[in-house]
């Protein structure tokens, strides 16, 4: 097969690796770039520094076909690719602002080495105005070199969900292309030629806002149902039934209405904070987003209070936490609700047993004083209560009769409303969900 476009993906983190894999699958010739030599050596051997189902085999296949190679040399990437995707991290400062220095460093390097027309694509989640900022950084570098090289900057935000990233990349709901140059748009349409998805061509600023607005809205939707769940608990209403009934209205939809112990991850908390800060930057308080942050922050406190009240205090009680990642199918624990719960339980004097199918190694160094186990059955031994933090399939499908027989107590706190309440009650558990306090 003739490879269509030469594309460099700069930044071999979660977004970059998945982007490189999917662009390779679309038939392009890919260069993956990172300054981290260890990471590049690992990738060259087909190993992944991230956990994402399905990506490793694609990377290995592309390596074997010669359709993908990795380098630490920015110059090599800039010389060899007509399209340069920036997929470096934008970690959060303590005040909530994204740290743009990695994006700026990449833009500087591009300006330093670029010798002919290039399309620079912002894939990282970046504040409104970043495409213009990247453009001005490159322009400054070109001026310093006293050369005149044409280029365009495109904002092409990613909407990948961890755990389903490849699936999302292969079949996205939409592709957003923020760009004002017809040459760049034509090239970008070629990049995604074989992808069957609506393509929205808009301005870079609109594209940048679409990403934040989408995450802000999804986080708001989750938070709405979470706050409602607290009310449902008080009024003996089942929030799961309410969400089902609401979701039947096509204007509302069923997605992201699963009540639980709060959203986490690398995107929602960071993006909601960044959006609120963008508002403040133009003297505008984003009151909805501030409430979303507050309700999400207190959702685990509310849940902890509930567990404490049900169990008549937590001092000396053994709690088994099942699922620690911020969501299933990932080992990512960034902003995971489990972290807040573990701290809360420990402060109350509880003894913690915990298990996650893949994230144990990341929890170990944060909480050296908890008992991490190799399986769920070990975690529940002699436990007074089981708490579900993450809805891994293998946790939902545990043998609950066996769990009950291994425990000392009979409480089960379903932090994700995913277990079969009736079945558990028949097995002798005292079941408590989020917003389903019906017993
Ligand atoms: C999110 C966006 O979905 C994605 O488009 C963007 O590119 C990155 O941020 P991700 O962080 O991978 O993706 O996870 P997502 O599946 O959206 O879940 C985020 C959090 O919300 C998780 O903690 C999840 O448990 C929680 N959640 C999700 C709920 O509590 N209830 C729901 O109904 C859905």
């Amino acid at each position: 097969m003739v490879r269509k476009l030469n594309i460099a993906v700069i930044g071999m983190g979660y977004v970059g690796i998945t982007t490189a894999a999917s662009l390779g699958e679309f038939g392009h010739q890919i260069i993956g770039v990172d300054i981290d030599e260890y990471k590049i050596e690992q990738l060259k051997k087909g190993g992944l520094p991230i956990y994402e189902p399905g990506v490793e085999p694609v990377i290995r296949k592309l390596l074997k076909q010669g359709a993908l190679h990795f380098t630490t040399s920015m110059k090599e990437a800039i010389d060899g690719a007509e399209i340069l995707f920036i997929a470096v991290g934008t970690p959060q400062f303590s005040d909530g602002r994204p740290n743009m220095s990695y994006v700026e460093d990449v833009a500087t390097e591009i300006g330093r080495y670029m010798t002919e027309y290039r399309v620079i694509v912002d894939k990282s989640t970046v504040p409104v105005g970043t495409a213009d900022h990247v453009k001005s950084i490159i322009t400054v570098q070109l001026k310093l070199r006293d050369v005149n090289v044409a280029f365009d900057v495109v904002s092409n935000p990613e909407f990948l969900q961890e755990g389903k990233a490849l699936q999302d990349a292969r079949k996205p709901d939409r592709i957003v292309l923020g760009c004002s140059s017809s040459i760049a748009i034509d090239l970008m349409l070629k990049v995604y030629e074989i992808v069957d998805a609506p393509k929205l061509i808009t301005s870079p600023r609109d594209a940048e806002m679409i990403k934040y607005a989408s995450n802000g809205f999804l986080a708001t939707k989750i938070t709405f149902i979470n706050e409602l769940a607290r009310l449902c608990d008080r009024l003996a209403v089942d929030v799961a039934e309410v969400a089902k009934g609401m979701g039947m209205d096509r204007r509302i939809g069923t997605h992201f209405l699963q009540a639980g112990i709060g959203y986490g991850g690398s995107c929602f908390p960071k993006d909601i904070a960044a959006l609120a800060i963008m508002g403040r930057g133009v003297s505008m308080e984003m009151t909805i987003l501030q409430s979303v942050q507050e309700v999400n922050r207190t959702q685990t406190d509310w849940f902890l209070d509930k567990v404490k009240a049900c169990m008549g205090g937590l001092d000396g009680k053994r709690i088994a936490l099942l699922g620690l990642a911020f969501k299933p199918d990932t080992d990512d624990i960034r902003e995971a609700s489990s972290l807040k719960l573990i701290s809360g339980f420990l402060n109350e004097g509880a003894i913690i047993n915990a298990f996650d199918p893949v994230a144990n190694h990341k929890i170990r160094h944060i909480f050296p004083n908890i008992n991490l186990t190799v399986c769920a059955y070990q975690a529940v031994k002699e436990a007074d209560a089981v708490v579900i933090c993450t809805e891994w399939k293998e946790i939902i499908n545990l043998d609950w009769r066996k769990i009950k027989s291994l425990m000392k107590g009979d409480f089960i706190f379903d932090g994700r409303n995913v277990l079969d309440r009736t079945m558990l009650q028949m097995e002798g558990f005292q079941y408590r969900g989020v917003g389903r306090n019906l017993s």
Side-chain angles (χ1 to χ4, degrees), residues 261-392:
I261 48 177
Y263 63 76
S266 63
C267 291
F268 283 178
K270 183 161 83 83
D271 292 354
I272 282 54
L275 199 47
I277 283 174
M278 264 186 262
R280 234 166 281 146
V282 288
S283 306
M284 214 186 123
E285 288 299 324
M286 304 291 283
T287 46
I288 293 177
L289 293 178
Q290 283 166 16
S291 302
V292 166
Q293 288 177 304
E294 181 58 14
V295 172
N296 196 59
R297 191 184 65 74
T298 54
Q299 190 72 1
T300 40
D301 302 339
W302 168 83
F303 188 72
L304 194 81
D305 286 346
K306 180 177 158 123
V307 176
K308 193 174 157 188
C310 287
M311 298 186 67
L314 291 164
D315 196 20
K317 302 273 167 64
R318 186 175 292 277
I319 312 287
L321 263 72
L322 301 185
L324 305 169
F326 86 96
K327 67 175 211 176
D329 300 318
T330 175
D331 67 349
D332 198 339
I333 56 159
R334 282 175 285 179
E335 302 282 338
S337 303
S338 65
L339 304 180
K340 291 192 266 175
L341 277 183
I342 294 173
S343 296
F345 281 127
L346 290 174
N347 283 341
E348 293 290 337
I351 304 152
I352 303 290
N353 292 356
F355 164 74
D356 187 278
V358 296
N360 276 4
H361 67 287
K362 293 202 168 167
I363 296 280
R364 190 162 286 124
H365 70 278
I366 306 176
F367 296 108
N369 50 346
I370 67 169
N371 310 308
L372 284 161
T373 64
V374 291
C375 77
Y377 297 111
Q378 237 182 57
V380 303
K381 267 187 195 155
E382 293 299 308
D384 295 288
V386 166
V387 174
I388 307 295
C389 292
T390 316
E391 66 277 30
W392 285 92

Side-chain angles (χ1 to χ4, degrees), residues 159-176:
F159 301 99
L160 309 175
Q161 301 168 76
E162 288 189 29
K164 295 185 197 155
L166 211 52
Q167 205 175 307
D168 285 345
R170 286 171 181 156
K171 204 159 181 6
D173 286 342
R174 78 297 209 190
I175 291 167
V176 176

Side-chain angles (χ1 to χ4, degrees), residues 311 380 382-385 403-404 406-411 428-429:
M311 298 186 67
V380 303
E382 293 299 308
D384 295 288
I403 298 265
K404 177 76 180 47
L406 293 167
M407 288 172 65
K408 188 166 91 189
D410 57 5
F411 273 110
F429 281 101

